[in-house]
Structures are given as C-alpha cells and as structure tokens.
C-alpha cells in the first residue's frame, strides 16, 4: 500500500486550456480521493512541451470540444498510487509516460472540479505537478537517472527516432533530408548518427537551428526562408535524396519534399498542416514507386522501443542527447515558454521541471 494520503486539502497546480488561441491558466485542483480501475497517480518530475500541444492551443485541427482541459503528453515521474486491476507497474516505480498505447488497461479519463465547472483530462496529461494517467500510457524504466532527458522519450525521441527506425527504415546507403530542425529534427539527426547515412541534409528557415543541426551531425544545411519551391526541389534532386522526414506541416515543404525525392524514394510526414489547408500533389509517381506515408508516434510498442533507445544512449551516459534540451523552466513560466517556441527562440526542446 502507498503511504501517500488523499484528502480534500491536497491540491496540485496545473496549466489548463480554457479557450483556444489564449494563454493557459495555472490553477489549483484537488487530487482525486479515489482512483478508477487502471488509473495511476503520478508525481511528475519533468514534462516536455511538444508542438502538438501548441497545435491544440492554436486550433490546428479545428474546434476543441473538450474545453476546458489539461494538456501535455510526454514526461517522467514516479507512481504514487494505483487503481484496481493495475498489473504492469506498482507504487514507487519510475516511469516515462507517452500518448501512444502500451499493453495494460485503457482507463477512463479523469475530470476535476474547479469552481462551478469541470476540467477535462485525457488518458495522459503532463503540464501539472501530479497527473492521473492510464496504465497503458506508461513505461517502467529501471534506474531512471536522467529524469530531464528521460521525459523526452515520451514523444520527442520516441517519434524522432521511430520515424527513422520503424517508418522509413533508413540504412547507411540512404540519402536523407530533414525539413524542420527544431526538437524533432534535431532528434532525427542525433539518431541518424548511429546509422551514418550517405548524406544527411537539414532544411529550415532559422539559421541558428541549422547551425546546431551541423554541430549535431548534418552534412549540409539549406535555409529555405526565401527560396521558391522550385529551388528546394532542384536542391533535393541534385543531391539525389531518397528518404525525407517532413516535420513542419507547412504545405510548401510537404509538396517540395514529395516532388524532390527520388523516383522510388519515400517521404514521411510527421508535421500536420493547419486545419482546412490542402496539399496538392501529382499522384502518378506513386504508381511507379514513390511513397508518401504518415508518422503516428513512430512506434507500435512504446515499452519495447523506449527501452531499446535507452540502452543505446545509456552507453555514453546520454551525452548525445543533452544538446536537445535548450531550456529548463517552471510551470509558472509556461506561457512564456510557448511564446518562445512559437517565435523559434528555442532551438531544441523546452523541458519543464514540475
């Protein structure tokens, strides 16, 4: 049994989205008196801020019917209490949590009372000091020494590495281009150093991010800020790029990647275009071997893949991953952090200490 005590006075701070395209509000909520079947109460150590959450705030996928609600879907923490039926983990376990499903119970989602309204929550949220998370959204990690970096395995690294390992299956003889050298793009580059493709190119509109991409191992960089689609396509064709990761969700970049990849090359879309934005492509090349696919978190088995990646990077004490964290902040500064990410002042990942 846990020594943790529930009571009406036990509160926690959380960043909540009340209205789209508005700053988050930091409020106090009560911890639940009782957990439902398959739920875990977790004390959060660190949470990453993913572009998907900014997309939720900005309404990238359209109207949000669950407002007001908590946010966040990657982080690290310790299990304080478990609900009935939980078998995969126990109180005291340190875990990485992620939006991709694992084995285990898919628990009901919690709601919290605040004044005269209810605050919704998904199967996982992480912009808070504590969180109620479904059993099938966590992965137990033995000796979770690097809590800050471990938080990024929940989405950034799981996706950034998985698009290479599982979606595109990049090999040493491939020539690779990465659109978007932010947190995900830099994660792509770090993992690709383990594979050493024949060519690795980073494309972005931010010269600072491109310089970091070169430091981390990209062979070439291209600033696409004022380049036409035709020039970008020519660049890709000239370099015979056959595998492309598109992280930005920008229409012109998606079309350039598709047109510029080799005849039998493959493009994987990680970034998501804004709601109602249309991509125009000529589909005939698909009949002759060109491939366009989407990435959905980079994995079908988070537990297996997370522990696989941790084993690889643990060999040098996660040194290769440290440059991916650009800044560590606190929950009270979350709106400033989101503003800095939007304006590209953060050239890697922003991590919150909870």
């Amino acid at each position: 049994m846990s020594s943790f005590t529930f009571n009406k006075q036990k509160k926690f701070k959380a960043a909540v989205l009340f209205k789209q395209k508005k700053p988050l509000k930091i409020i106090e909520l009560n911890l639940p008196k009782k957990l439902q079947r398959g739920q875990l109460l977790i004390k959060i150590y660190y949470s990453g801020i993913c572009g998907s959450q900014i997309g939720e705030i900005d309404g990238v996928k359209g109207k949000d019917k669950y407002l007001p609600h908590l946010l966040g879907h990657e982080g690290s923490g310790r299990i304080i209490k478990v609900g009935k039926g939980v078998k995969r983990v126990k109180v005291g376990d340190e875990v990485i949590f992620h939006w991709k499903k694992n084995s285990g119970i898919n628990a009901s989602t919690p709601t919290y009372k605040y004044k005269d309204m209810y605050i919704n929550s998904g199967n996982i949220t992480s912009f808070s000091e504590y969180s109620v998370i479904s059993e099938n959204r966590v992965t137990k990690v033995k000796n979770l020494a690097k809590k800050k970096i471990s938080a990024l395995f929940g989405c950034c690294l799981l996706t950034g590495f998985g698009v290479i390992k599982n979606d595109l299956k990049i090999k040493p003889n491939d020539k690779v281009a990465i659109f978007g050298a932010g947190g995900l793009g830099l994660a792509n580059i770090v993992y690709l150093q383990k594979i050493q493709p024949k060519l690795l190119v980073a494309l972005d509109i931010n010269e600072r991010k491109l310089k970091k991409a070169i430091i981390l191992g990209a062979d070439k960089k291209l600033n696409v800020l004022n380049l036409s689609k035709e020039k970008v396509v020519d660049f890709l064709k000239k370099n015979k790029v056959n595998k492309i990761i598109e992280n930005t969700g920008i229409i012109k970049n998606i079309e350039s990647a598709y047109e510029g990849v080799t005849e039998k090359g493959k493009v994987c879309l990680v970034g998501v275009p804004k709601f109602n934005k249309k991509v125009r492509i000529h589909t005939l090349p698909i009949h002759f071997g060109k491939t366009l696919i989407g990435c959905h978190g980079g994995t079908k088995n988070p537990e297996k893949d997370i522990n696989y990646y941790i084993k690889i990077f643990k060999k040098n004490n996660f040194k290769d991953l440290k440059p991916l964290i650009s800044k560590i902040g606190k929950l009270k500064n979350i709106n400033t952090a989101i503003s800095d990410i939007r304006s590209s002042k953060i050239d890697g990942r922003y991590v919150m200490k909870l």
Side-chain angles (χ1 to χ4, degrees):
M1 296 292 290
S2 170
S3 60
F4 187 84
T5 302
F6 289 92
N7 57 62
K8 289 183 179 180
Q9 284 71 48
K10 188 63 178 179
K11 296 179 179 291
F12 69 101
K13 291 180 180 178
V16 177
L17 178 64
F18 281 84
K19 291 184 178 181
Q20 288 179 297
K21 300 181 181 179
K22 296 291 183 181
L24 303 183
K25 292 184 179 180
I26 298 174
I27 62 174
E28 282 195 334
L29 299 171
N30 286 314
L31 288 172
K33 296 179 184 179
K34 182 180 178 181
L35 294 178
Q36 301 301 312
R37 183 176 182 273
Q39 290 181 341
L40 312 170
L41 177 65
I42 294 178
K43 173 64 185 84
I44 298 178
Y45 295 147
Y46 292 90
S47 172
I49 299 179
C50 179
S52 295
Q53 273 77 71
I54 296 176
E56 283 186 70
I57 296 167
D58 293 343
V60 168
K61 296 181 181 179
K63 187 177 179 180
D64 190 333
K65 61 182 180 180
Y66 298 106
L67 294 174
H69 63 73
L70 282 78
L71 287 166
H73 68 202
E74 69 171 356
S76 60
R78 178 170 55 89
I79 297 175
I80 301 297
K81 196 171 183 67
V82 302
K84 290 182 179 180
V86 172
K87 295 180 180 179
R88 289 181 54 252
V89 290
K90 64 184 185 301
V91 171
D93 284 347
E94 292 186 307
V95 294
I96 291 167
F97 29 97
H98 38 78
W99 60 272
K100 288 289 288 187
K101 291 181 181 180
N102 253 342
S103 58
I105 298 170
N106 187 52
S108 59
T109 58
T111 54
Y112 304 90
K113 189 76 182 292
Y114 176 70
K115 294 183 178 180
D116 59 347
M117 65 181 72
Y118 286 98
I119 307 295
N120 294 308
S121 177
N123 295 102
I124 167 177
T125 57
S126 59
F127 290 179
S128 54
E129 296 171 322
Y130 290 84
S131 186
V132 175
I133 296 177
S134 178
E135 181 191 18
N136 68 345
R137 261 61 171 206
V138 304
T139 291
K140 178 182 175 180
V141 179
K142 293 181 180 179
N143 303 317
L144 189 65
K146 302 296 180 181
K147 295 179 175 64
K148 293 188 288 290
I149 292 170
S150 294
L152 300 185
F153 281 101
C155 178
C156 177
L157 301 183
L158 190 62
T159 303
F161 297 170
V163 65
I164 295 163
K165 175 179 176 286
N166 301 319
D167 296 322
L168 287 177
K169 296 178 172 63
I170 294 174
K171 305 297 182 185
N173 62 337
D174 287 322
K175 292 185 176 182
V176 184
I178 297 169
F179 281 77
L184 269 176
L186 296 178
N188 296 151
I189 292 168
V190 167
Y191 191 67
L192 283 168
Q193 299 315 296
K194 306 297 180 183
I195 299 170
Q196 290 291 306
K198 191 177 292 184
L199 178 69
L200 176 54
V201 183
L203 301 92
D204 204 291
I205 62 172
N206 187 305
E207 193 62 32
R208 189 184 69 255
K209 292 182 179 181
L210 288 171
K211 287 179 180 178
K212 191 163 187 176
I214 292 293
I215 291 171
L216 290 176
D219 301 310
K220 291 186 178 183
K221 61 184 176 72
L222 181 68
N223 193 318
V224 296
L225 179 61
N226 297 312
L227 292 184
S228 65
K229 185 170 75 173
E230 289 72 25
K231 288 186 178 181
V232 176
V233 170
D234 287 345
F235 174 85
L236 296 171
K237 288 183 174 180
K238 182 180 179 181
N239 285 281
K240 298 180 179 179
V241 173
N242 71 311
K243 297 283 178 72
I244 298 179
I245 301 170
E246 207 302 298
N247 293 314
T248 71
I250 296 171
I251 300 300
K252 186 177 82 169
N253 290 344
I254 294 171
E255 293 174 351
S256 297
Y258 175 77
E259 292 177 27
V261 76
T262 56
E263 289 183 0
K264 295 188 182 297
K266 185 178 286 189
V267 177
C268 187
L269 306 181
V270 182
V272 179
K274 290 183 178 179
F275 187 63
N276 280 337
K277 295 292 183 179
K278 306 296 183 183
V279 176
R280 293 180 177 274
I281 62 170
H282 184 214
T283 61
L284 182 62
I286 292 175
H287 296 272
F288 296 94
K290 187 174 287 193
T291 305
L292 182 66
I293 63 173
C295 174
H296 189 245
T299 182
K300 291 182 179 179
N301 190 327
E303 187 156 13
K304 179 181 177 182
D305 280 338
I306 286 173
N307 281 292
Y308 172 80
Y309 300 137
I310 286 176
K311 185 177 180 180
I312 290 174
F313 288 94
K314 198 173 184 179
K315 291 177 182 177
N316 71 344
N317 200 30
F318 300 98
K319 183 180 178 182
D320 295 339
L321 301 180
K322 289 178 182 178
L324 296 181
I325 298 179
S326 295
K327 191 170 182 178
I328 298 171
K330 296 181 179 180
L331 183 64
K332 66 180 181 180
N333 298 321
I334 190 168
N335 288 308
T336 300
I338 289 170
S339 177
D340 287 347
I341 294 169
R342 280 200 186 102
S343 60
S344 294
K345 291 181 181 179
I346 305 295
D347 55 11
R349 206 65 159 188
Y350 189 106
V351 174
M352 287 189 298
K353 183 178 181 180
L354 283 307

